[in-house]
Amino acid sequence: MRRALTSLFVFLIAIAVANTALAQRKPKTEEDDRYKPRPVKLKTKDGVTLRAFYFPSEKGKNAITVLFVHEWQGQSSPYVPLIAALRSAGCAVLVPDYRGHGGSMEYIDVTGKPQKFDVSRMSKVDVQNIIRIDLEKAKGFLKEENNAENLNLNALVVVGVREGCILASHWASIDWSFPSVGSIKQSQDVKALVLISPEKQLKGLPIEPPLRDPNILQLPIMIVAGQTSPEAKDAERIGRRIEGAKKRAGGGTVSGFESLMIDTSLTGPSLVSNEPKVIPAIVDFITKSVPINDEENPWIER
């Protein structure tokens, strides 16, 4: 409970600061409310109310969209500096607390009564529900913002941290499994992945299968980890596999892959917050890897 309140407090401060900066712009326009960062609630089809924080972009239809997936038993607050940097670069950012975490602790049981998640008892089924229900619901919110011309869902980047890399990779693979039907675009919106301190598995669900998916391997992928961190070996192994696959696909040339292995034992949130190279490198990778124009990742009404 204390961690959830801390997360909310830090994010509310970040939102207040961002809104103050917006209010101080001259001249003030009627569009300002549209660009104010804000908390949002997302109601899933199985009765879970997810809390999320949304940071809009003033670039509207030309805004790269970032879906941020935090680590297991983690929270969103340590990533405020990265989120702020992405927003300053023109990205629209959505940071959901998936079920059992942060402000998304309550669900409705089969009798219709509210209950609290016990993260220590959550299983592989819960992990799969996060992927197929929670992250898909987050995309539903982004689809509404896309159709309001507040962002470009066709230029979606998913950022995962530690176990969040597993969730992000599996969801991205699902996103690419639905082709367009005629002129109607159903999915295939993820255009890049950033994996920070990637873990090998979560509740028996491994990270490897989606990273063998040809659809995922054709995307720009960035891996960030500490060289002496607990995730270093897995990060290096995953990186070698991705780099090798891209090299084979490129006839000996590797493109769309970046590995940032930093000389530190820091991991996850501490790596992002305390290593000055990390945030600029991630922002640079995202903004360069996902161009938006008439030929590449154009805005499409959904």
Side-chain angles (χ1 to χ4, degrees), residues 58-238:
E58 294 188 16
K59 295 182 73 172
K61 294 164 66 174
N62 291 316
I64 296 171
T65 304
V66 178
L67 177 60
F68 196 94
V69 188
H70 64 74
E71 74 275 20
W72 191 257
Q73 293 187 303
Q75 54 185 327
S76 306
S77 57
Y79 306 105
V80 169
L82 173 57
I83 294 162
L86 287 167
R87 187 168 185 258
S88 294
C91 300
V93 187
L94 181 66
V95 191
D97 290 338
Y98 48 79
R99 64 186 63 204
H101 295 74
S104 306
M105 294 299 297
E106 193 170 279
Y107 67 98
I108 305 300
D109 67 16
V110 293
T111 68
K113 294 181 180 180
Q115 302 289 346
K116 294 284 187 180
F117 283 103
D118 180 352
V119 69
S120 67
R121 301 180 63 181
M122 292 177 75
S123 66
K124 185 177 181 180
V125 172
D126 294 294
V127 172
Q128 292 170 330
N129 285 337
I130 291 169
I131 296 167
R132 294 183 176 273
I133 300 177
D134 295 1
L135 296 183
E136 193 62 26
K137 184 64 181 182
K139 183 182 175 181
F141 170 83
L142 294 173
K143 186 180 293 185
E144 294 175 359
E145 287 294 300
N146 177 83
N147 290 348
E149 302 186 7
N150 293 334
L151 53 78
N152 185 343
L153 184 58
N154 192 37
L156 177 62
V157 179
V158 187
V159 178
V161 184
R162 299 189 64 184
E163 295 90 352
C165 298
I166 301 167
L167 303 172
S169 299
H170 277 269
W171 182 77
S173 182
I174 293 171
D175 178 72
W176 269 91
S177 68
F178 295 99
S180 297
V181 178
S183 62
I184 300 174
K185 182 174 170 59
Q186 292 191 107
S187 214
Q188 300 185 352
D189 293 301
V190 179
K191 298 299 161 59
L193 279 175
V194 178
L195 308 177
I196 303 170
S197 302
E199 293 277 2
K200 185 177 181 179
Q201 65 174 4
L202 172 60
K203 301 291 183 178
L205 187 69
I207 195 172
E208 283 88 354
L211 297 181
R212 291 196 293 264
D213 182 345
N215 290 319
I216 299 304
L217 288 171
Q218 55 91 26
L219 300 176
I221 300 174
M222 181 183 196
I223 293 179
V224 183
Q227 290 179 354
T228 56
S229 69
E231 302 84 18
K233 289 184 179 179
D234 285 330
E236 291 172 349
R237 175 180 54 80
I238 292 168

Side-chain angles (χ1 to χ4, degrees), residues 17-36 57-59 87:
V17 170
N19 286 340
T20 299
L22 183 63
Q24 291 174 344
R25 291 185 319 162
K26 302 296 182 180
K28 188 177 187 298
T29 72
E30 294 180 357
E31 293 291 297
D32 284 351
D33 286 344
R34 183 179 177 185
Y35 303 122
K36 287 182 177 179
S57 169
E58 294 188 16
K59 295 182 73 172
R87 187 168 185 258

